[in-house]
Amino acid sequence: MTQEELLLTDSVIAFRAEHFETIKNWERQLAMDECAADLHFCYHALEEYPNLIAHLDAAEYRLDFAINAHILHGRLQEQFLDDGHTGPIALEHANNELLNIYSALNEKGPVGRAAIVKTLQ
């Protein structure tokens, strides 16, 4: 897997390094299914993408992927808020963008990978 496929952008890597305890807390919440709404969305939305889930399960990466997606989701919300959207609209746009990323990664061929790289730029 490439960094783009794992959603390990530079900002995600920096966040993970800077907030180690937060990541551990999120891992515990995911494992116990006690996570907050956004993290729950990032994790459980994966169920709709069987090729992506199979790939993540084979790499034993589902929890980390969901956490990376959660970090990216927060960045997307910030971006939409900075663009002048209200909180609920920014959240909806971030949800849709994340689902588009999942959908692109669910594709088996290079088209999906190209779409994810474009989305993350």
Side-chain angles (χ1 to χ4, degrees):
M1 279 191 196
T2 65
Q3 283 192 343
E4 290 83 8
E5 287 179 286
L6 299 176
L7 303 186
L8 283 174
T9 63
D10 290 340
S11 65
V12 167
I13 292 169
F15 184 95
R16 289 182 73 99
E18 193 172 319
H19 301 280
F20 181 77
E21 290 301 318
T22 300
I23 299 300
K24 285 290 178 195
N25 186 40
W26 288 347
E27 287 172 344
R28 183 193 55 74
Q29 289 174 359
L30 283 168
M32 300 181 76
D33 201 24
E34 297 175 349
C35 43
D38 288 352
L39 185 54
H40 186 272
F41 172 81
C42 293
Y43 185 68
H44 289 282
L46 289 173
E47 299 299 325
E48 300 300 317
Y49 303 94
N51 292 331
L52 177 56
I53 277 292
H55 195 63
L56 293 173
D57 285 346
E60 297 183 2
Y61 192 75
R62 192 189 301 204
L63 289 180
D64 282 338
F65 184 92
I67 290 170
N68 292 344
H70 181 52
I71 296 166
L72 178 61
H73 187 266
R75 302 271 192 240
L76 290 167
Q77 284 186 68
E78 289 174 17
Q79 181 181 352
F80 287 117
L81 287 169
D82 289 346
D83 290 345
H85 296 284
T86 62
I89 299 299
L91 176 63
E92 185 64 28
H93 285 319
N95 288 351
N96 289 334
E97 285 297 317
L98 195 65
L99 293 177
N100 288 339
I101 290 169
Y102 287 179
S103 181
L105 288 173
N106 191 57
E107 294 185 24
K108 292 182 179 181
V111 173
R113 286 188 277 286
I116 187 66
V117 171
K118 182 180 177 188
T119 302
L120 295 175
Q121 291 176 342

